[in-house]
Amino acid sequence: MNTVAAQVLQGLGVEPVRKLAAAMGLTTPLGADLSLALGTSEVKPVDLAVGYAALANGGRRVEPQFILKLGGQAMRRPEPQAREWAMGILRELFG
């Protein structure tokens, strides 16, 4: 139950949990109240991966490594493209 998570956080204290998260590699700012136990703070996907990797590594932080080349060939990063429907909405709102 969510109440149990909030009770555990209350017993440990919010600040020590935030410090532990930072020590494990989370760079996303976390909330400073008991709602943190309910998942109210957004966390970047890379921070989640780093946090889970630290758990798998005995609690020690793991620096993320990004694959930039595969088989000697550079990975292509797709250019962000706005979808036409999104642009239509923006034009309607701000145009």
Side-chain angles (χ1 to χ4, degrees), residues 16-88:
V17 170
R18 292 175 72 206
K19 286 181 180 177
L20 176 62
M24 290 175 65
L26 274 74
T27 60
T28 309
L30 299 176
D33 56 29
L34 292 178
S35 71
L36 180 62
L38 306 176
T40 57
S41 291
E42 293 181 13
V43 178
K44 296 179 214 167
V46 70
D47 281 350
L48 280 179
V50 167
Y52 283 122
L55 289 175
N57 196 34
R60 292 180 306 275
R61 186 183 197 290
V62 176
E63 195 65 35
Q65 304 219 357
F66 299 93
I67 299 172
L68 303 176
K69 288 185 178 183
L70 189 59
Q73 188 173 9
M75 300 295 287
R76 186 179 72 82
R77 297 181 109 181
E79 292 294 322
Q81 296 178 0
R83 296 181 186 241
E84 188 53 42
W85 61 267
M87 291 305 296

